[in-house]
Amino acid sequence: MSKEQRLEGKVALITGSARGIGKAISLRLASEGARIAVVDIRLEDAQKTADEFKAAGIDARAYAADVSKSADAQATVAAVVQDFGRLDILVNNAGITKDTLLLRMTEAQWDAVLAVNLKGTFNFTQAAVKVMMRQRSGKIVNIASVVGRMGNIGQANYSASKAGVIALAKTTAKEFASRNIQVNAVAPGYIITDMTAQLSQEVKDTFMRIVPAGKGGTPEDVANVVYFLCSPDSDYVTGQVINVDGGLLM
C-alpha cells in the first residue's frame, strides 16, 4: 500500500529556502506531496535548489525576492499563484543576523535585521493572506527563535525581530481565524546550520551548557514541527509558539 501524502496538491512558498532550515522544510513538505516555491534573495541560489528538487521528482520552481521589499513580496506571491494556480502554505523563514553588543550596535545593523526578519515576514504574510482569504483556507508558519522569548546577549536586533515575528503570528492568527487560516510560530533553539556556524565559539559553548539535551538540533527537527503545523492535523491549532530547542527554554 502506498503511503498517503497529506499535502497532495498543496502549494507551499518558503522564503529563504535555498539552504539550511528553509531547504529542510521544503523537502519535508514535498515528501508529503506539496509543490514547492523556492524563494531566496539570489535567483541562482533558488534555481540551484529548485533544480535539485526537480531532479528528485519534486514539483518546484525558483523565485528571487528581497523579502524586505513589499513590492517583491506581492510580485512573488502573484507569480506563484499564476504558476501553480493557488497558494496553501506560507513559511516565513528568511532571516539574517548581525550580532554585536547593544552599545556597539549601529543603526544600520539594527535596521537590516528588522527589515529582513520582521518586515519581511509582514510583507509576505500580507501578500499571502489575500490569496488564502479567497480560498478560505491556508497555513502560515513564522520561523521565530527562542531568543525572541528570552533575549540573548549580543542579539538585541535579532531577539527583537523574532519577538516581533511571534507577536505578528498571534495577531494574524486572530484576524484570520474565521477565514480558516491558521497562523503559528516555531521557535528553534540552537540548530546546526551555516548561519549558526558563524556564531562565536563562546556563544556556541554557552548554548551547549544550557541545552538540557546536550546537543544542537538539526534543520530536520525544525522541519518536522513545521510540517505538523502545515498539515490537517493542526487545523485547530492557531496563534501558538512551539519551541524546538532540546529543552533550552521551559
Side-chain angles (χ1 to χ4, degrees):
M1 184 184 295
S2 62
K3 175 176 168 286
E4 179 192 5
Q5 291 192 306
R6 305 296 304 284
L7 301 179
E8 188 69 47
K10 301 290 188 184
V11 175
L13 187 166
I14 303 95
T15 65
S17 50
R19 65 181 64 80
I21 291 174
K23 185 176 180 181
I25 291 168
S26 300
L27 285 168
R28 183 69 181 90
L29 300 184
S31 75
E32 294 291 338
R35 297 179 286 166
I36 306 296
V38 179
V39 178
D40 218 280
I41 193 164
R42 286 163 48 92
L43 182 59
E44 51 266 47
D45 293 343
Q47 190 63 60
K48 181 181 177 184
T49 297
D51 288 344
E52 185 182 319
F53 287 177
K54 283 187 273 193
I58 297 167
D59 186 358
R61 300 192 188 198
Y63 305 85
D66 179 345
V67 299
S68 70
K69 293 182 166 60
S70 177
D72 277 22
Q74 299 287 341
T76 302
V77 167
V80 169
V81 173
Q82 183 174 12
D83 290 344
F84 289 101
R86 57 187 299 114
L87 177 59
D88 304 283
I89 295 164
L90 168 66
V91 181
N92 287 302
N93 168 76
I96 61 170
T97 58
K98 290 187 180 294
D99 296 349
T100 190
L101 293 172
L102 188 140
L103 282 173
R104 297 175 186 159
M105 188 170 289
T106 65
E107 184 178 10
Q109 288 171 322
W110 173 270
D111 288 348
V113 171
L114 270 289
V116 173
N117 298 6
L118 182 54
K119 187 184 176 189
T121 298
F122 164 76
N123 286 340
F124 266 86
T125 298
Q126 188 179 58
V129 290
K130 295 173 184 175
V131 178
M132 293 175 176
M133 280 176 65
R134 292 195 295 270
Q135 295 173 176
R136 296 195 74 83
S137 69
K139 302 275 191 178
I140 298 175
V141 180
N142 292 349
I143 304 302
S145 169
V146 292
V147 303
R149 308 186 82 178
M150 63 186 239
N152 197 38
I153 292 170
Q155 291 193 304
N157 47 6
Y158 187 75
S159 298
S161 74
K162 293 303 188 177
V165 161
I166 289 169
L168 178 59
K170 293 180 178 183
T171 297
T172 310
K174 287 188 174 184
E175 291 191 7
F176 295 97
S178 64
R179 302 302 183 97
N180 192 33
I181 299 169
Q182 292 85 49
V183 187
N184 294 285
V186 172
Y190 180 63
I191 307 297
I192 301 166
T193 65
D194 290 343
M195 192 166 83
T196 56
Q198 295 171 19
L199 296 173
S200 70
Q201 191 58 46
E202 183 183 2
V203 171
K204 293 178 189 176
D205 291 344
T206 299
F207 271 121
M208 286 303 96
R209 282 197 300 272
I210 60 177
V211 174
K215 62 179 181 179
T218 68
E220 289 72 27
D221 291 325
V222 179
N224 286 331
V225 176
V226 173
Y227 161 67
F228 163 71
L229 293 173
C230 294
S231 78
D233 292 340
S234 64
D235 283 352
Y236 200 57
V237 178
T238 198
Q240 304 305 305
V241 188
I242 301 178
N243 298 338
V244 183
D245 64 357
L248 171 61
L249 183 64
M250 296 191 194

